[in-house]
Structures are given as structure tokens and as C-alpha cells.
């Protein structure tokens, strides 16, 4: 009887252990399947982020030429945000290490915009474009040459300041 009194709680403990290792296994299976899902979740690649930057680069130019400083400021921030996304999401791309190459140009454009200084803006924009190309050249993408835009990137947006 005494033995039984000891055995019953011991069995209870054992089955609790078994239960918890069962639930551990179940949790692990869930974690594994979530990991798999996460790995196969769509994330834009570096080239797609770059196409976004290309669009903002072009819009930035026309906003600056038309002295729409608010839009220019917006576009330069969009470039900065996309660079942040690249740093966060393209960690598998060693080229991203050189992305800081365009930081000085971005900050000189930003201060030109603040001062509404068209000449400084144009200079900063040329430096930014050189930065794009320097990074492309440094990373075996020298065939991809960015230029100062010669035509509007879109025809459904006004670059002059809103009235
Ligand atoms: C890390 C340095 C780096 C900087 C700075 C950089 N790029 Fe890139 N860019 C790359 C790399 C690497 C690729 C190739 C991406 C790929 O493999 O898909 C690329 C690709 C591109 C593409 C090709 C996308 C396509 O399919 O046509 C464009 C456009 C582009 N960049 C524009 C720019 C512009 C505009 C700037 C400057 C505002 C810039 N890039 C700055 C590294 C850089």
C-alpha cells in the first residue's frame, strides 16, 4: 500500500514529463514549419530595390530643377529609406557593404534642398550619380551606367510646386 502511494504520484510525474516533451515536439514542429514559411516569403531583391531608387533619382532631378523643394526633399528621403531597406533585407549580398559610398552626396543634396540652392542641388545630384556608378563599377556592375535624366520619368505627375 505504501509502495502504491509512492508509485501513483511518481507515475503522474512521469506522464507529465512525457506530456511536456510531447508538447515540446509539437512546438518544435510548429517553429520548423514557420521557419520554412518565412524562408519562402517574398522579399524584393537588390535589383528591385535599385529600380525603386532609379525612379526616385529621376524624380528628384526634376523636382529640383522645378524648385519643388518639398517634393525634392521627399524623393531624397525615399532614396534614404530604400537604402535602409537594402541594409535590412539584402544581408546576403556582399555588395551592400559599399552602399555608404553615396552618403556624402545624399547629405549635400539634403542641405542644398534646405537652402533652396539650385546650383548646390545640381552639384550634389552629379555627385550622387557618380556615387551610383562608382558602386556599380566596384561591384562588377560597371555596365549599368546611371545618368542625369534627360526626360521626365513619368507623365502623370507634376514636378512644379503645387499652387
Ligand atoms: C552597393 C552599391 C550600390 C550603390 C550605392 C548603388 N547601386 Fe545600383 N546596383 C548595385 C548592384 C550590386 C546592382 C545589381 C543588383 C542585382 O544583382 O540585381 C545594382 C543595380 C542597379 C540597377 C539595375 C536594376 C535593373 O534591373 O535595371 C539600377 C537601375 C541601379 N542599380 C540604380 C542605382 C542608382 C540610381 C543608384 C544611385 C542613386 C545606385 N544604383 C546606387 C549596387 C549599388
Amino acid at each position: 500500500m505504501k509502495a502504491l502511494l509512492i508509485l501513483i504520484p511518481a507515475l503522474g510525474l512521469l506522464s507529465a514529463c512525457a506530456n511536456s516533451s510531447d508538447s515540446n515536439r509539437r512546438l518544435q514542429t510548429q517553429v520548423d514549419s514557420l521557419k520554412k514559411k518565412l524562408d519562402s516569403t517574398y522579399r524584393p531583391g537588390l535589383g528591385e530595390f535599385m529600380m525603386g531608387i532609379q525612379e526616385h533619382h529621376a524624380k528628384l532631378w526634376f523636382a529640383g530643377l522645378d524648385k519643388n523643394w518639398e517634393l525634392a526633399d521627399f524623393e531624397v528621403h525615399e532614396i534614404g529609406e530604400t537604402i535602409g531597406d537594402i541594409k535590412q533585407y539584402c544581408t546576403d549580398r556582399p555588395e551592400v557593404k559599399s552602399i555608404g559610398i553615396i552618403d556624402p552626396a545624399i547629405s549635400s543634396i539634403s542641405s542644398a534642398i534646405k537652402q533652396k540652392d539650385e546650383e548646390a542641388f545640381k552639384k550634389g545630384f552629379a555627385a550622387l550619380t557618380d556615387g551610383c556608378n562608382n558602386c556599380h563599377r566596384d561591384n562588377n556592375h560597371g555596365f549599368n551606367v546611371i545618368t542625369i535624366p534627360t526626360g521626365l520619368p513619368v507623365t502623370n505627375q507634376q514636378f512644379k510646386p503645387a499652387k
Side-chain angles (χ1 to χ4, degrees), residues 7 32 37 66-67 75 90 108 119 121 126 129 137 144 147 149 152 158 163:
L7 198 63
D32 290 346
K37 264 193 199 141
D66 277 337
K67 300 193 182 68
E75 296 297 349
C90 301
S108 49
E119 283 320 301
F121 170 82
T129 309
R137 264 197 303 275
N144 180 354
T147 60
L152 292 176
Q158 172 184 316
K163 285 203 188 83

Side-chain angles (χ1 to χ4, degrees), residues 14 20 24 55 66 69 89 95-96 113 117 119 143 149 156 163:
L14 258 178
S20 92
N24 276 352
E55 188 89 356
D66 277 337
W69 300 117
Y89 296 111
E95 300 98 316
V96 172
I113 290 172
D117 181 338
E119 283 320 301
F143 54 87
N156 57 353
K163 285 203 188 83

Side-chain angles (χ1 to χ4, degrees), residues 46-47 50-51 53-54 93 95 132 135-136 141 144 146:
L46 182 57
M50 282 290 159
M51 294 222 283
I53 289 185
Q54 178 181 28
R93 297 292 300 257
E95 300 98 316
C132 309
C135 197
H136 290 167
H141 283 264
N144 180 354
I146 303 300

Side-chain angles (χ1 to χ4, degrees), residues 14-27:
L14 258 178
S15 90
C17 282
N19 273 347
S20 92
S21 85
D22 261 6
S23 74
N24 276 352
R25 252 197 305 275
R26 260 200 305 277
L27 277 176

Side-chain angles (χ1 to χ4, degrees), residues 28-43:
Q28 190 58 52
T29 315
Q30 274 174 331
V31 167
D32 290 346
S33 100
L34 280 175
K35 253 193 205 152
K36 232 186 231 160
K37 264 193 199 141
L38 213 58
D39 287 344
S40 59
T41 302
Y42 175 74
R43 263 176 296 173

